[in-house]
Amino acid sequence: MQPGAAARTRKPLSRKRILAAAVALADDGGVAALSMRKIAAALGVVPMALYKHVANKDELLDGMIDAVVGEIDPPAAGVDWKPAVRGRVLSARRMLLRHPWAPGVIEARMKARSAPTPAVLGYLDSMIGIFRAGGFTLDLVHHAMHIMGSRVLGFSQELFEDSPGGEPDPDALPPEQMAARYPHVTELAMAVAHDAESVVGAGCDDQLEFEFALDLMLDGLERLRRAS
Amino acid sequence: MQPGAAARTRKPLSRKRILAAAVALADDGGVAALSMRKIAAALGVVPMALYKHVANKDELLDGMIDAVVGEIDPPAAGVDWKPAVRGRVLSARRMLLRHPWAPGVIEARMKARSAPTPAVLGYLDSMIGIFRAGGFTLDLVHHAMHIMGSRVLGFSQELFEDSPGGEPDPDALPPEQMAARYPHVTELAMAVAHDAESVVGAGCDDQLEFEFALDLMLDGLERLRRAS
DNA sequence: ACCTGAACACCGTTCAAGT
DNA sequence: ACCTGAACACCGTTCAAGT
């Protein structure tokens, strides 16, 4: 028995510990940097030991999804549908900011298995329940769920985000070429970021923008609900 | 010179041919099944031959993004901002239906390099230009771009889609357990799909739902534009 | 019965050897 | 100078050998 062996084996390996280590690894480093071998190394365990608790990597990713979806606050009780949905969505957003890899993993899983994980299904179910309790017809709830989940351009608002992780683009255009080739992007970026540290993205309050978009959708839904 | 060599070398290898082969491979099989070695095999070429035309796999993915974004129709000229934006977004959607891997690749690239590819930047620029020409203030265009790109729940509307590619979930719950555990999802699914082939998703007109969500956003933007 | 090291079939990419 | 096979450092997972 070599020194340190006791410390390493103090906490026995479990599915929960494996998932926590995997989520932590994905949080800093992205899901691309996640490997069974690295998870095992982080836990001080041989790679094959993981396979006692998770069937394979896909099943591990499913477990990670359920773990982070479980972090979303439960719906507020005794409030109107609009603040209830609003609070739920903003809580989901906070979770996604902690685990930016989650949307991609959820979507990939959806495309592969064409069904969400139980936790995601539970989240959707409770969201539908809020709309129903708020007096929405089934038809309008259906529309609402599509609206809440739609991503109109297929890529998200992080497009303009100045993510601190990535290193600056090595072949970025000089500002004057940028302005000549993309005049509207440049004009908008200049207007948004008076403190012109970076041409694109700096000085944009993403939380405010997110809530602005959310409220636009909620107000639109409220109008439809009243008309129906 | 063995038979077939002439046929294989008739078309010389080029960046465009490589990108076309890569896009075709990703279209059926997903981006996970895409590998330098498979692209080379599809072109009847040794893997290392690709590296004369693309620097590495990341740069190849960038090229694939620009290729498919180039498929989006140019903006209609001489029309009001609303039909112009509407047409552009619906054209983008058609492209994304042909290349369902594109959003994930665009997002991954954004997260890694924190800057969109030139073609994506060009698309955004022209979209901003449409709003500006329609009389939107810079501030409102900024909001509008966030609204168009936002994905409120972090996962897309394909959540409920009955994608034909994936095989049926092996550990799907029987309908009665489904109804007990996810009552609202089940109620909604039953209402939407009267032809109850599959419990979730069948009979939902995604194109209609997409346009419904799009129009809700466009109408909301129009109201804001008039108020400003 | 349980655990695990070696092995297999992949992957992107480097690099030196061959022409 | 150009091309390319072998090799390197990874990966998820199988499987048989060891305890």
Side-chain angles (χ1 to χ4, degrees):
Chain A
M1 188 170 299
Q2 68 273 42
R8 250 191 271 112
T9 55
R10 199 162 0 127
K11 278 184 189 170
L13 201 55
S14 69
R15 184 178 166 84
K16 188 178 282 190
R17 285 225 307 143
I18 292 172
L19 291 178
V23 166
L25 272 177
D27 285 350
D28 51 56
V31 79
L34 191 71
S35 79
M36 300 300 277
R37 287 162 134 104
K38 280 185 193 165
I39 298 166
L43 291 166
V45 147
V46 82
M48 283 316 298
L50 305 179
Y51 286 82
K52 292 285 115 160
H53 302 90
V54 295
N56 50 39
K57 196 181 185 183
D58 279 345
E59 206 259 338
L60 174 117
L61 289 171
D62 280 4
M64 292 170 65
I65 291 172
D66 284 356
V68 299
V69 170
E71 294 177 8
I72 302 175
D73 294 331
V79 295
D80 203 10
W81 73 269
K82 213 197 251 192
V85 169
R86 200 173 192 278
R88 208 85 208 289
V89 169
L90 290 178
S91 176
R93 173 171 147 84
R94 286 193 298 274
M95 179 277 281
L96 294 176
L97 289 175
R98 287 194 298 272
H99 312 294
W101 48 268
V105 172
I106 292 173
E107 275 191 38
R109 140 92 197 201
M110 268 306 299
K111 278 166 191 169
R113 312 270 305 274
S114 65
T117 65
V120 171
L121 209 46
Y123 175 79
L124 295 173
D125 193 69
S126 121
M127 179 78 77
I128 295 171
I130 297 171
F131 279 117
R132 289 294 281 155
F136 280 70
T137 65
L138 273 178
D139 199 51
L140 199 45
V141 176
H142 185 213
H143 287 319
M145 293 303 286
H146 273 274
I147 287 166
M148 303 305 289
S150 74
R151 29 189 269 165
V152 185
L153 292 186
F155 34 79
S156 63
Q157 60 182 117
E158 293 120 40
L159 264 187
F160 276 107
E161 217 160 275
D162 203 15
S163 61
E167 51 274 2
D169 199 343
D171 41 40
L173 290 180
E176 60 275 10
Q177 284 192 43
M178 192 68 189
R181 199 172 312 177
Y182 310 110
H184 300 108
V185 166
T186 305
E187 180 192 39
L188 184 58
M190 300 287 273
V192 169
H194 294 128
D195 48 344
E197 185 207 10
S198 162
V199 176
V200 174
C204 163
D205 186 340
D206 284 310
Q207 177 71 24
L208 184 143
E209 291 299 334
F210 185 88
E211 295 192 27
F212 191 96
L214 176 57
D215 288 332
L216 184 94
M217 295 180 206
L218 294 179
D219 290 346
L221 287 171
E222 171 67 18
R223 250 188 302 272
L224 292 174
R225 190 185 66 88
R226 270 203 279 265
S228 77
Chain B
M1 185 171 302
Q2 67 274 42
R8 251 191 271 112
T9 56
R10 197 155 9 121
K11 278 184 189 170
L13 202 55
S14 70
R15 184 178 167 85
K16 187 177 285 188
R17 284 224 307 144
I18 292 172
L19 291 179
V23 167
L25 272 176
D27 285 349
D28 50 56
V31 79
L34 191 71
S35 79
M36 301 299 276
R37 288 164 135 102
K38 280 185 193 165
I39 298 167
L43 291 167
V45 148
V46 82
M48 284 314 298
L50 305 178
Y51 286 81
K52 292 284 114 158
H53 301 91
V54 296
N56 50 40
K57 195 181 185 183
D58 279 344
E59 206 259 339
L60 174 118
L61 289 171
D62 280 3
M64 292 169 66
I65 292 172
D66 283 357
V68 298
V69 170
E71 294 177 8
I72 302 174
D73 294 330
V79 294
D80 204 10
W81 73 270
K82 212 198 254 192
V85 169
R86 199 172 192 279
R88 210 82 208 290
V89 170
L90 291 178
S91 176
R93 174 171 146 85
R94 285 192 298 274
M95 179 276 280
L96 293 176
L97 289 176
R98 286 194 298 272
H99 311 294
W101 49 267
V105 172
I106 292 174
E107 275 189 40
R109 140 91 197 203
M110 268 306 299
K111 278 166 191 167
R113 312 270 305 272
S114 66
T117 65
V120 172
L121 209 46
Y123 175 79
L124 295 173
D125 194 70
S126 121
M127 180 77 78
I128 295 171
I130 296 172
F131 279 117
R132 288 293 281 154
F136 281 70
T137 66
L138 273 178
D139 200 51
L140 199 45
V141 175
H142 184 213
H143 287 319
M145 293 303 286
H146 274 273
I147 287 166
M148 304 305 288
S150 74
R151 28 189 267 167
V152 185
L153 292 188
F155 34 77
S156 62
Q157 61 182 117
E158 293 119 40
L159 265 187
F160 275 108
E161 217 161 276
D162 202 17
S163 61
E167 49 275 5
D169 200 343
D171 41 41
L173 289 179
E176 61 274 12
Q177 283 194 43
M178 193 67 189
R181 200 171 312 177
Y182 309 111
H184 301 108
V185 166
T186 305
E187 181 192 39
L188 185 57
M190 300 287 273
V192 170
H194 295 127
D195 47 343
E197 185 208 11
S198 160
V199 177
V200 174
C204 162
D205 186 339
D206 284 311
Q207 177 71 23
L208 183 144
E209 292 299 334
F210 185 89
E211 294 191 28
F212 191 96
L214 176 57
D215 288 333
L216 184 94
M217 295 182 204
L218 295 179
D219 290 346
L221 287 172
E222 171 67 17
R223 251 187 302 273
L224 291 174
R225 190 186 65 89
R226 270 204 278 264
S228 75

